[in-house]
Amino acid sequence: MNPHIYKNIQGWFNSGQRKLYEHQVRHCADKSHFVEVGAWKGRSSSYMSVEILNSNKTIKFDVVDTWLGSEESAHKKDLSIINNTLYEDFLENIEPVKSAINPIRTTSIEASKLYEDNSLDFVLIDASHKYIDVKEDIINWLPKVRKGGILAGDDFSWSGVRRALKELLPNKYQTAQEFFGAKHKMIWIHKK
Ligand SMILES: C[S@@+](CC[C@H](N)C(=O)[O-])C[C@H]1O[C@@H](n2cnc3c(N)ncnc32)[C@H](O)[C@@H]1O
């Protein structure tokens, strides 16, 4: 079994996302296709990668990021952003588990155009948390998820995230807390 390495990687991966990643790997069919949008230094990506490697399933895992950070202050003052080494730091961090990760270095919207409609089993959005960006992400990624697949996202506590969800998926999402019956409030989940 491959040990998890995420605790050594700085980032914002939380318990709801962890639960969801475990759940998706456990319950998906062989040859599933997952996409994570927003990887930063690879904390959440490495977790998913270890889960995939330990599952003995064939799961394609694409990880989309500009690796340029965003307008958020925590990003702007991070040394990887200041020194312009975020992508190199990501690659170094995921090195032990890179065989299960396919990095795609572009914007969320451009990346979404790479996929056929109804082709993805699971998309997790954790890029910009601004209302307009989350809205664009949902509009562009939702058609790419197959019927019965999952579109999910982080940072439900952000007002822009909640506003975009209420407009685009009214009453069609749950928080991880509702989904798993546990205390994981930050993740929202939509089953298509
Ligand atoms: C909150 S961080 C992701 C945290 C990560 N999941 C973790 O485990 O720590 C958000 C990431 O989204 C990326 N990002 C922001 N806006 C983006 C966009 N429009 N397209 C692609 N990536 C974007 C940033 O570069 C940053 O790395």
Side-chain angles (χ1 to χ4, degrees):
M1 295 289 270
N2 297 272
H4 275 292
I5 58 171
Y6 76 100
K7 285 185 179 162
N8 302 325
I9 303 173
Q10 184 268 324
W12 290 273
F13 184 51
N14 57 55
S15 65
Q17 197 171 349
R18 199 164 71 226
K19 273 266 187 200
L20 182 59
Y21 278 14
E22 289 166 8
H23 180 271
Q24 290 306 112
V25 172
R26 195 171 307 131
H27 296 285
C28 76
D30 201 32
K31 302 206 173 100
S32 283
H33 194 166
F34 295 174
V35 178
E36 175 183 78
V37 186
W40 187 242
K41 298 182 187 179
R43 188 172 164 97
S44 53
S45 322
S46 80
Y47 193 88
M48 176 61 96
S49 182
V50 170
E51 289 294 305
I52 290 171
L53 291 169
N54 289 344
S55 72
N56 291 320
K57 289 180 179 173
T58 303
I59 300 171
K60 189 165 184 205
F61 181 40
D62 296 338
V63 172
V64 174
D65 203 303
T66 56
W67 281 283
L68 295 173
S70 63
E71 291 304 302
E72 290 160 29
S73 61
H75 289 199
K76 282 184 170 171
K77 63 185 182 201
D78 191 277
L79 275 183
S80 297
I81 294 294
I82 293 167
N83 297 330
N84 198 21
T85 58
L86 185 60
Y87 186 54
E88 288 69 26
D89 295 343
F90 165 81
L91 291 177
E92 189 180 323
N93 289 337
I94 63 151
E95 173 67 28
V97 296
K98 68 177 182 187
S99 61
I101 299 178
N102 176 35
I104 299 179
R105 192 174 188 184
T106 186
T107 65
S108 172
I109 306 303
E110 283 308 305
S112 69
K113 296 175 188 163
L114 300 172
Y115 302 95
E116 300 284 331
D117 283 356
N118 303 305
S119 66
L120 300 173
D121 299 283
F122 175 46
V123 176
L124 188 289
I125 298 171
D126 185 19
S128 163
H129 302 110
K130 280 178 9 198
Y131 160 71
I132 194 69
D133 295 331
V134 178
K135 195 169 171 178
E136 284 298 304
D137 282 344
I138 294 173
I139 287 170
N140 283 280
W141 284 101
L142 185 57
K144 308 300 172 184
V145 176
R146 69 164 171 81
K147 190 158 171 43
I150 297 281
L151 179 71
D154 195 17
D155 292 294
F156 189 71
S157 64
W158 287 57
S159 59
V161 174
R162 288 201 304 273
R163 186 177 160 203
L165 278 170
K166 278 182 186 148
E167 283 179 26
L168 295 170
L169 295 169
N171 301 317
K172 290 182 187 154
Y173 62 88
Q174 293 177 293
T175 62
Q177 184 172 14
E178 292 161 326
F179 202 78
F180 294 116
K183 292 178 184 164
H184 310 296
K185 297 180 193 161
M186 294 297 273
I187 296 290
W188 59 266
I189 300 165
H190 166 73
K191 186 166 184 182
K192 193 168 166 188

